[in-house]
Coordinates of all heavy atoms in Angstrom, one line a residue:
M159 N -158.6 -127.9 -43.1 CA -157.8 -126.8 -42.5 C -158.3 -125.4 -43.0 O -158.4 -124.5 -42.2 CB -156.4 -127.0 -42.9 CG -155.7 -128.2 -42.3 SD -155.5 -128.1 -40.5 CE -154.0 -127.2 -40.5
E160 N -158.6 -125.3 -44.3 CA -159.1 -124.1 -44.8 C -160.4 -123.6 -44.2 O -160.6 -122.5 -43.9 CB -159.2 -124.1 -46.3 CG -157.8 -124.2 -47.0 CD -157.9 -124.5 -48.5 OE1 -159.0 -124.5 -49.1 OE2 -156.9 -124.7 -49.1
A161 N -161.4 -124.6 -44.1 CA -162.7 -124.2 -43.6 C -162.5 -123.8 -42.1 O -163.2 -122.9 -41.7 CB -163.6 -125.4 -43.7
A162 N -161.7 -124.5 -41.3 CA -161.5 -124.1 -39.9 C -160.8 -122.7 -39.8 O -161.2 -121.9 -39.0 CB -160.6 -125.1 -39.2
H163 N -159.9 -122.4 -40.7 CA -159.2 -121.1 -40.7 C -160.2 -120.0 -41.0 O -160.0 -118.9 -40.6 CB -158.0 -121.1 -41.6 CG -157.3 -119.8 -41.6 ND1 -156.5 -119.4 -40.6 CD2 -157.2 -118.9 -42.5 CE1 -156.0 -118.3 -40.9 NE2 -156.4 -117.9 -42.1
A164 N -161.1 -120.3 -41.9 CA -162.1 -119.3 -42.3 C -163.1 -118.9 -41.1 O -163.7 -117.8 -41.2 CB -162.9 -119.8 -43.5
E165 N -163.1 -119.7 -40.1 CA -164.0 -119.4 -39.0 C -163.3 -118.7 -37.9 O -162.3 -119.2 -37.3 CB -164.6 -120.8 -38.4 CG -165.4 -120.7 -37.2 CD -166.5 -119.7 -37.2 OE1 -167.3 -119.8 -38.2 OE2 -166.6 -118.8 -36.4
P166 N -163.7 -117.4 -37.6 CA -162.9 -116.6 -36.6 C -162.8 -117.3 -35.2 O -161.7 -117.2 -34.6 CB -163.8 -115.3 -36.5 CG -164.5 -115.2 -37.8 CD -164.8 -116.7 -38.2
A167 N -163.8 -118.0 -34.7 CA -163.7 -118.6 -33.4 C -162.6 -119.7 -33.4 O -161.9 -119.8 -32.4 CB -165.0 -119.2 -33.0
L168 N -162.4 -120.4 -34.5 CA -161.3 -121.4 -34.5 C -160.0 -120.8 -34.9 O -159.0 -121.3 -34.4 CB -161.7 -122.5 -35.5 CG -162.9 -123.4 -35.1 CD1 -163.2 -124.4 -36.2 CD2 -162.8 -124.0 -33.8
R169 N -160.0 -119.8 -35.7 CA -158.8 -119.1 -36.1 C -158.1 -118.4 -34.8 O -156.9 -118.3 -34.8 CB -159.1 -118.0 -37.2 CG -157.8 -117.5 -37.8 CD -158.1 -116.6 -39.0 NE -159.0 -115.5 -38.8 CZ -160.2 -115.5 -39.4 NH1 -160.6 -116.4 -40.2 NH2 -161.0 -114.4 -39.1
A170 N -158.9 -118.1 -33.8 CA -158.4 -117.5 -32.6 C -157.7 -118.5 -31.7 O -157.0 -118.1 -30.8 CB -159.5 -116.8 -31.8
L171 N -157.8 -119.8 -32.0 CA -157.2 -120.9 -31.2 C -155.9 -121.3 -31.9 O -155.6 -121.0 -33.0 CB -158.2 -122.0 -31.1 CG -159.4 -121.7 -30.3 CD1 -160.4 -122.9 -30.4 CD2 -159.2 -121.3 -28.9
Y172 N -155.1 -122.2 -31.2 CA -153.9 -122.8 -31.7 C -154.3 -124.1 -32.4 O -154.7 -125.0 -31.6 CB -152.9 -123.0 -30.6 CG -151.6 -123.6 -31.0 CD1 -150.6 -122.8 -31.6 CD2 -151.4 -124.9 -30.8 CE1 -149.4 -123.4 -32.0 CE2 -150.2 -125.5 -31.2 CZ -149.2 -124.7 -31.8 OH -148.0 -125.3 -32.2
P173 N -154.2 -124.2 -33.7 CA -154.6 -125.5 -34.3 C -153.4 -126.4 -34.4 O -152.2 -126.0 -34.5 CB -155.0 -125.0 -35.7 CG -154.1 -123.9 -36.0 CD -153.9 -123.2 -34.7
F174 N -153.6 -127.7 -34.3 CA -152.6 -128.7 -34.5 C -153.2 -130.0 -35.0 O -154.4 -130.2 -34.8 CB -151.8 -128.9 -33.3 CG -152.5 -129.5 -32.1 CD1 -152.4 -130.9 -31.9 CD2 -153.3 -128.8 -31.3 CE1 -153.1 -131.5 -30.8 CE2 -154.0 -129.3 -30.3 CZ -153.9 -130.7 -30.0
T175 N -152.4 -130.8 -35.6 CA -152.9 -132.2 -36.0 C -152.2 -133.2 -35.1 O -151.1 -133.1 -34.7 CB -152.7 -132.4 -37.5 OG1 -151.3 -132.3 -37.7 CG2 -153.4 -131.5 -38.4
S176 N -153.0 -134.3 -34.9 CA -152.5 -135.4 -34.2 C -153.2 -136.7 -34.7 O -154.4 -136.7 -34.6 CB -152.7 -135.2 -32.7 OG -152.3 -136.4 -32.0
Q177 N -152.4 -137.6 -35.3 CA -152.9 -138.8 -35.8 C -154.1 -138.6 -36.8 O -155.2 -139.2 -36.7 CB -153.4 -139.7 -34.6 CG -152.2 -140.1 -33.8 CD -152.6 -140.9 -32.6 OE1 -153.7 -141.0 -32.2 NE2 -151.6 -141.6 -32.0
W178 N -153.9 -137.7 -37.7 CA -154.8 -137.3 -38.8 C -156.1 -136.6 -38.3 O -157.1 -136.5 -39.0 CB -155.2 -138.6 -39.6 CG -154.1 -139.3 -40.2 CD1 -153.4 -140.4 -39.6 CD2 -153.3 -138.9 -41.3 NE1 -152.3 -140.7 -40.4 CE2 -152.3 -139.9 -41.5 CE3 -153.5 -137.9 -42.3 CZ2 -151.4 -139.8 -42.5 CZ3 -152.6 -137.9 -43.3 CH2 -151.6 -138.8 -43.4
V179 N -156.0 -136.0 -37.1 CA -157.2 -135.3 -36.6 C -156.8 -133.9 -36.3 O -155.7 -133.6 -35.9 CB -157.6 -136.0 -35.2 CG1 -158.7 -135.2 -34.6 CG2 -158.0 -137.4 -35.5
L180 N -157.7 -133.0 -36.7 CA -157.5 -131.5 -36.4 C -158.0 -131.2 -35.0 O -159.2 -131.5 -34.7 CB -158.2 -130.7 -37.5 CG -158.1 -129.2 -37.3 CD1 -156.6 -128.7 -37.3 CD2 -158.9 -128.5 -38.4
R181 N -157.1 -130.7 -34.2 CA -157.5 -130.3 -32.8 C -157.2 -128.8 -32.6 O -156.5 -128.2 -33.4 CB -156.7 -131.1 -31.8 CG -156.7 -132.6 -32.0 CD -157.8 -133.4 -31.4 NE -158.3 -133.0 -30.1 CZ -158.2 -133.6 -29.0 NH1 -157.4 -134.6 -28.9 NH2 -158.8 -133.2 -27.9
F182 N -157.7 -128.3 -31.4 CA -157.4 -126.9 -31.1 C -157.0 -126.8 -29.6 O -157.4 -127.6 -28.8 CB -158.7 -126.1 -31.4 CG -159.1 -126.1 -32.8 CD1 -160.0 -127.1 -33.3 CD2 -158.5 -125.2 -33.7 CE1 -160.3 -127.1 -34.6 CE2 -158.9 -125.3 -35.0 CZ -159.7 -126.2 -35.5
S183 N -156.2 -125.8 -29.4 CA -155.7 -125.6 -28.0 C -155.8 -124.1 -27.7 O -155.8 -123.2 -28.6 CB -154.3 -126.0 -27.9 OG -153.7 -125.7 -26.6
A184 N -156.0 -123.8 -26.4 CA -156.1 -122.4 -25.9 C -154.6 -121.9 -25.6 O -154.5 -120.7 -25.3 CB -157.0 -122.3 -24.7
T185 N -153.7 -122.8 -25.6 CA -152.3 -122.5 -25.4 C -151.4 -123.0 -26.5 O -151.8 -124.0 -27.2 CB -151.8 -123.0 -24.0 OG1 -152.0 -124.4 -24.0 CG2 -152.5 -122.4 -22.9
T186 N -150.2 -122.5 -26.7 CA -149.3 -123.0 -27.7 C -148.4 -124.1 -27.1 O -148.5 -124.4 -25.9 CB -148.3 -121.8 -28.1 OG1 -147.6 -121.4 -27.0 CG2 -149.1 -120.7 -28.7
R187 N -147.6 -124.7 -27.9 CA -146.7 -125.8 -27.4 C -145.7 -125.1 -26.5 O -145.4 -124.0 -26.7 CB -146.1 -126.5 -28.6 CG -147.1 -127.3 -29.4 CD -146.4 -128.0 -30.5 NE -147.4 -128.6 -31.4 CZ -147.9 -129.8 -31.3 NH1 -147.6 -130.5 -30.2 NH2 -148.8 -130.3 -32.1
P188 N -145.1 -125.8 -25.6 CA -145.1 -127.3 -25.5 C -146.3 -127.8 -24.6 O -146.6 -129.0 -24.7 CB -143.8 -127.6 -24.8 CG -143.5 -126.4 -23.9 CD -144.1 -125.2 -24.7
R189 N -147.0 -127.0 -23.9 CA -148.0 -127.5 -23.0 C -149.4 -127.1 -23.5 O -149.9 -126.0 -23.2 CB -147.8 -127.0 -21.6 CG -148.1 -128.0 -20.5 CD -147.8 -127.4 -19.1 NE -146.4 -127.5 -18.7 CZ -145.8 -128.6 -18.3 NH1 -146.5 -129.8 -18.4 NH2 -144.6 -128.6 -17.9
L190 N -150.0 -127.9 -24.3 CA -151.3 -127.6 -25.0 C -152.4 -127.7 -24.0 O -152.4 -128.6 -23.1 CB -151.5 -128.6 -26.1 CG -150.5 -128.5 -27.3 CD1 -150.8 -129.6 -28.3 CD2 -150.5 -127.1 -27.9
T191 N -153.4 -126.9 -24.1 CA -154.7 -127.0 -23.4 C -155.8 -127.2 -24.4 O -156.3 -126.3 -25.0 CB -154.9 -125.6 -22.6 OG1 -153.8 -125.3 -21.8 CG2 -156.2 -125.7 -21.8
L192 N -156.2 -128.5 -24.5 CA -157.2 -128.8 -25.5 C -158.5 -128.2 -25.3 O -159.0 -128.2 -24.1 CB -157.3 -130.4 -25.6 CG -156.0 -131.1 -25.8 CD1 -156.3 -132.6 -25.8 CD2 -155.4 -130.7 -27.1
V193 N -159.1 -127.7 -26.3 CA -160.5 -127.1 -26.2 C -161.3 -127.6 -27.5 O -160.7 -127.7 -28.5 CB -160.5 -125.6 -26.1 CG1 -159.9 -125.1 -24.8 CG2 -159.8 -125.0 -27.3
G194 N -162.6 -127.8 -27.3 CA -163.4 -128.1 -28.4 C -163.3 -129.5 -28.9 O -162.5 -130.3 -28.4
P195 N -164.1 -129.8 -29.9 CA -164.1 -131.1 -30.5 C -162.9 -131.4 -31.5 O -162.2 -130.5 -31.9 CB -165.4 -131.2 -31.2 CG -165.7 -129.8 -31.6 CD -165.1 -129.0 -30.5
C196 N -162.8 -132.6 -31.9 CA -161.9 -133.1 -32.9 C -162.6 -133.1 -34.3 O -163.7 -133.5 -34.4 CB -161.4 -134.5 -32.6 SG -160.7 -134.7 -31.0
L197 N -161.8 -132.8 -35.3 CA -162.4 -132.8 -36.7 C -161.5 -133.8 -37.5 O -160.3 -133.7 -37.5 CB -162.3 -131.4 -37.3 CG -163.3 -130.4 -36.8 CD1 -162.6 -129.6 -35.8 CD2 -163.9 -129.6 -37.8
T198 N -162.2 -134.6 -38.3 CA -161.5 -135.6 -39.1 C -162.1 -135.6 -40.5 O -163.3 -135.6 -40.7 CB -161.7 -137.0 -38.5 OG1 -161.4 -137.0 -37.1 CG2 -160.9 -138.1 -39.2
A199 N -161.2 -135.7 -41.5 CA -161.7 -135.9 -42.9 C -161.6 -137.4 -43.2 O -160.5 -138.0 -43.0 CB -160.8 -135.1 -43.8
N200 N -162.7 -138.0 -43.6 CA -162.7 -139.4 -43.8 C -162.4 -139.8 -45.2 O -162.6 -139.0 -46.1 CB -164.1 -140.0 -43.4 CG -164.4 -139.7 -41.9 OD1 -163.5 -139.9 -41.1 ND2 -165.6 -139.3 -41.6
S201 N -162.0 -141.0 -45.4 CA -161.6 -141.5 -46.8 C -162.8 -141.5 -47.7 O -162.6 -141.5 -48.9 CB -161.0 -142.9 -46.7 OG -161.9 -143.8 -46.2
D202 N -164.0 -141.5 -47.2 CA -165.2 -141.6 -48.1 C -165.7 -140.2 -48.4 O -166.8 -140.0 -49.0 CB -166.3 -142.4 -47.4 CG -166.9 -141.8 -46.1 OD1 -166.3 -140.7 -45.7 OD2 -167.8 -142.3 -45.6
G203 N -164.9 -139.1 -48.1 CA -165.3 -137.8 -48.4 C -166.2 -137.1 -47.4 O -166.6 -135.9 -47.6
T204 N -166.5 -137.7 -46.3 CA -167.3 -137.1 -45.2 C -166.3 -136.5 -44.2 O -165.1 -136.8 -44.2 CB -168.2 -138.1 -44.5 OG1 -167.4 -139.2 -43.9 CG2 -169.2 -138.7 -45.5
Y205 N -166.9 -135.8 -43.3 CA -166.2 -135.1 -42.2 C -166.8 -135.4 -40.9 O -168.0 -135.3 -40.7 CB -166.1 -133.6 -42.4 CG -165.5 -133.2 -43.7 CD1 -166.2 -133.2 -44.9 CD2 -164.1 -132.9 -43.8 CE1 -165.6 -132.9 -46.1 CE2 -163.5 -132.6 -45.0 CZ -164.2 -132.6 -46.2 OH -163.6 -132.3 -47.4
A206 N -166.0 -135.9 -39.9 CA -166.5 -136.2 -38.6 C -166.1 -135.2 -37.6 O -165.1 -134.6 -37.6 CB -166.0 -137.6 -38.2
V207 N -167.0 -135.0 -36.6 CA -166.8 -134.2 -35.5 C -167.1 -135.0 -34.2 O -168.1 -135.6 -34.1 CB -167.6 -132.9 -35.5 CG1 -167.3 -132.0 -34.3 CG2 -167.5 -132.1 -36.8
G208 N -166.1 -135.0 -33.3 CA -166.3 -135.9 -32.1 C -165.6 -135.4 -30.9 O -164.8 -134.4 -31.0
T209 N -166.0 -136.0 -29.8 CA -165.4 -135.6 -28.5 C -164.0 -136.2 -28.2 O -163.4 -135.9 -27.2 CB -166.4 -135.9 -27.3 OG1 -166.7 -137.3 -27.4 CG2 -167.6 -135.1 -27.4
S210 N -163.6 -137.1 -29.1 CA -162.3 -137.7 -29.0 C -161.8 -138.0 -30.4 O -162.5 -137.8 -31.4 CB -162.4 -139.1 -28.2 OG -163.0 -140.1 -29.0
M211 N -160.6 -138.4 -30.5 CA -159.9 -138.6 -31.8 C -160.5 -139.7 -32.6 O -160.4 -139.7 -33.8 CB -158.4 -138.8 -31.6 CG -157.7 -137.6 -31.1 SD -155.9 -137.6 -31.2 CE -155.4 -139.2 -30.7
V212 N -161.2 -140.6 -32.0 CA -161.8 -141.8 -32.8 C -163.3 -141.7 -32.8 O -163.9 -142.7 -33.3 CB -161.3 -143.1 -32.2 CG1 -159.8 -143.3 -32.3 CG2 -161.7 -143.2 -30.7
A213 N -163.9 -140.6 -32.4 CA -165.4 -140.6 -32.3 C -165.9 -139.6 -33.4 O -165.3 -138.7 -33.8 CB -165.8 -140.1 -30.9
S214 N -167.1 -139.9 -33.8 CA -167.9 -139.0 -34.6 C -169.2 -138.7 -33.9 O -170.3 -138.5 -34.6 CB -168.1 -139.6 -36.0 OG -168.8 -140.8 -35.9
D215 N -169.2 -138.7 -32.6 CA -170.4 -138.6 -31.8 C -171.1 -137.3 -31.9 O -172.3 -137.2 -31.5 CB -170.2 -139.0 -30.4 CG -169.1 -138.2 -29.7 OD1 -168.1 -137.8 -30.4 OD2 -169.1 -138.0 -28.5
L216 N -170.5 -136.2 -32.4 CA -171.1 -135.0 -32.5 C -171.7 -134.7 -33.9 O -172.4 -133.8 -34.2 CB -170.1 -133.8 -32.2 CG -169.6 -133.9 -30.7 CD1 -168.6 -132.7 -30.5 CD2 -170.8 -133.8 -29.8
G217 N -171.3 -135.6 -34.9 CA -171.9 -135.5 -36.2 C -171.0 -136.0 -37.3 O -169.7 -136.0 -37.2
L218 N -171.6 -136.4 -38.4 CA -170.9 -136.8 -39.6 C -171.5 -135.9 -40.7 O -172.7 -135.8 -40.9 CB -171.2 -138.3 -39.9 CG -170.4 -139.0 -41.0 CD1 -168.9 -138.9 -40.6 CD2 -170.8 -140.4 -41.1
F219 N -170.7 -135.2 -41.5 CA -171.1 -134.2 -42.4 C -170.6 -134.4 -43.8 O -169.5 -135.0 -44.0 CB -170.7 -132.8 -41.9 CG -171.2 -132.6 -40.5 CD1 -170.5 -132.9 -39.4 CD2 -172.5 -132.0 -40.3 CE1 -171.0 -132.6 -38.1 CE2 -173.0 -131.8 -39.1 CZ -172.2 -132.1 -37.9
A220 N -171.3 -133.9 -44.8 CA -170.9 -134.0 -46.2 C -169.9 -133.0 -46.6 O -169.2 -133.2 -47.5 CB -172.2 -133.9 -47.1
T221 N -169.8 -131.8 -45.9 CA -168.9 -130.8 -46.2 C -168.1 -130.4 -45.0 O -168.5 -130.5 -43.8 CB -169.6 -129.5 -46.7 OG1 -170.3 -128.9 -45.7 CG2 -170.5 -129.9 -47.9
A222 N -166.9 -129.8 -45.3 CA -166.0 -129.4 -44.2 C -166.7 -128.2 -43.5 O -166.5 -128.1 -42.3 CB -164.7 -129.0 -44.8
G223 N -167.4 -127.3 -44.2 CA -168.0 -126.2 -43.6 C -169.1 -126.6 -42.6 O -169.2 -126.0 -41.5
E224 N -169.8 -127.6 -42.9 CA -170.8 -128.1 -41.9 C -170.1 -128.7 -40.7 O -170.6 -128.5 -39.5 CB -171.7 -129.2 -42.5 CG -172.6 -128.8 -43.7 CD -173.2 -129.9 -44.4 OE1 -172.5 -130.9 -44.7 OE2 -174.4 -129.8 -44.7
A225 N -169.0 -129.4 -40.8 CA -168.3 -129.9 -39.7 C -167.7 -128.8 -38.8 O -167.8 -128.8 -37.6 CB -167.2 -130.8 -40.2
V226 N -167.2 -127.8 -39.5 CA -166.6 -126.6 -38.8 C -167.7 -125.9 -38.0 O -167.5 -125.6 -36.8 CB -165.9 -125.7 -39.7 CG1 -165.6 -124.3 -39.1 CG2 -164.6 -126.3 -40.2
A227 N -168.9 -125.7 -38.6 CA -170.0 -125.1 -37.9 C -170.4 -125.9 -36.6 O -170.7 -125.3 -35.6 CB -171.2 -124.9 -38.8
C228 N -170.4 -127.2 -36.8 CA -170.7 -128.0 -35.6 C -169.6 -127.9 -34.5 O -170.0 -127.8 -33.3 CB -170.8 -129.5 -36.0 SG -171.0 -130.7 -34.7
A229 N -168.4 -127.9 -34.9 CA -167.3 -127.7 -33.9 C -167.4 -126.4 -33.2 O -167.2 -126.3 -32.0 CB -165.9 -127.8 -34.7
V230 N -167.7 -125.3 -33.9 CA -167.9 -124.0 -33.3 C -169.0 -124.0 -32.2 O -168.9 -123.5 -31.1 CB -168.1 -122.9 -34.3 CG1 -168.5 -121.6 -33.7 CG2 -166.8 -122.7 -35.2
R231 N -170.1 -124.7 -32.6 CA -171.2 -124.8 -31.6 C -170.8 -125.5 -30.3 O -171.5 -125.3 -29.3 CB -172.4 -125.5 -32.3 CG -173.2 -124.7 -33.3 CD -174.5 -125.4 -33.7 NE -174.3 -126.7 -34.3 CZ -174.1 -127.0 -35.6 NH1 -174.0 -126.0 -36.4 NH2 -174.1 -128.2 -35.9
H232 N -169.8 -126.4 -30.4 CA -169.4 -127.1 -29.2 C -168.2 -126.6 -28.5 O -167.6 -127.2 -27.7 CB -169.2 -128.6 -29.6 CG -170.4 -129.3 -29.9 ND1 -171.0 -129.4 -31.1 CD2 -171.3 -130.0 -29.1 CE1 -172.2 -130.0 -31.1 NE2 -172.3 -130.4 -29.8
L233 N -167.8 -125.4 -28.9 CA -166.7 -124.7 -28.2 C -167.1 -124.2 -26.8 O -168.3 -123.8 -26.7 CB -166.1 -123.5 -29.0 CG -165.3 -123.8 -30.2 CD1 -165.0 -122.5 -30.9 CD2 -164.0 -124.6 -29.9
P234 N -166.3 -124.3 -25.8 CA -166.7 -123.8 -24.5 C -166.8 -122.2 -24.6 O -166.1 -121.6 -25.4 CB -165.5 -124.2 -23.6 CG -164.4 -124.6 -24.5 CD -165.0 -124.9 -25.8
A235 N -167.6 -121.7 -23.7 CA -167.7 -120.2 -23.7 C -166.5 -119.6 -23.0 O -165.8 -120.2 -22.2 CB -169.0 -119.9 -22.9
G236 N -166.3 -118.3 -23.3 CA -165.3 -117.6 -22.6 C -163.8 -117.8 -23.0 O -162.9 -117.5 -22.2
L237 N -163.6 -118.4 -24.2 CA -162.2 -118.6 -24.6 C -161.6 -117.2 -24.9 O -162.1 -116.4 -25.6 CB -162.2 -119.4 -25.9 CG -162.5 -120.9 -25.7 CD1 -162.5 -121.6 -27.0 CD2 -161.6 -121.6 -24.7
G238 N -160.4 -117.0 -24.4 CA -159.7 -115.8 -24.6 C -158.6 -116.0 -25.7 O -158.6 -117.0 -26.3
P239 N -157.8 -115.0 -25.9 CA -156.7 -115.2 -26.8 C -155.7 -116.3 -26.4 O -155.6 -116.6 -25.2 CB -156.0 -113.9 -26.8 CG -156.4 -113.1 -25.6 CD -157.7 -113.7 -25.2
V240 N -155.1 -116.9 -27.4 CA -154.1 -118.0 -27.1 C -153.0 -117.5 -26.3 O -152.5 -116.4 -26.5 CB -153.6 -118.6 -28.4 CG1 -152.5 -119.6 -28.2 CG2 -154.7 -119.3 -29.2
T241 N -152.6 -118.3 -25.3 CA -151.5 -117.9 -24.4 C -150.3 -118.9 -24.6 O -150.5 -120.0 -25.1 CB -151.9 -117.8 -22.9 OG1 -152.4 -119.1 -22.6 CG2 -153.0 -116.8 -22.7
P242 N -149.1 -118.5 -24.2 CA -148.0 -119.5 -24.3 C -148.2 -120.7 -23.4 O -148.7 -120.5 -22.2 CB -146.8 -118.6 -23.8 CG -147.2 -117.2 -24.0 CD -148.7 -117.2 -23.8
G243 N -147.9 -121.8 -23.9 CA -148.1 -123.1 -23.1 C -146.7 -123.4 -22.5 O -146.0 -124.3 -22.9
E244 N -146.5 -122.8 -21.4 CA -145.2 -122.9 -20.7 C -145.2 -124.1 -19.7 O -146.2 -124.4 -19.2 CB -144.8 -121.6 -20.0 CG -144.7 -120.5 -21.0 CD -144.4 -119.2 -20.4 OE1 -143.6 -119.1 -19.4 OE2 -144.9 -118.2 -20.9

């Protein structure tokens, strides 16, 4: 969470957790608009980045900072400020 918050591109999104996975949305609750990859902290001390909650297909990293950098590289272009999810 701290590494993601330190990254301006992710800090501009609405963060939330779901089933032990850190996700991001372009809108607030109640109607989330998912954007970017999922980040997971694993029990072995590694960090996974994936296209779904159970995947590490975008990478497995030794540090949270590396995982966050990977997530930022996979964000879609043109994200604006977070809007209400009505």
Side-chain angles (χ1 to χ4, degrees):
M159 294 290 276
E160 291 174 5
H163 181 73
E165 173 54 55
L168 294 178
R169 191 171 53 245
L171 298 172
Y172 180 80
F174 67 98
T175 57
S176 177
Q177 300 178 339
W178 302 99
V179 176
L180 179 59
R181 309 274 324 252
F182 298 92
S183 176
T185 57
T186 61
R187 292 183 189 275
R189 221 177 276 287
L190 298 174
T191 304
L192 303 178
V193 294
C196 302
L197 291 97
T198 308
N200 299 317
S201 62
D202 65 357
T204 62
Y205 299 86
V207 181
T209 55
S210 73
M211 292 194 313
V212 296
S214 60
D215 55 331
L216 299 177
L218 192 60
F219 302 93
T221 69
E224 292 171 317
V226 165
C228 175
V230 169
R231 287 192 300 272
H232 287 90
L233 286 176
L237 291 175
V240 171
T241 58
E244 300 175 37

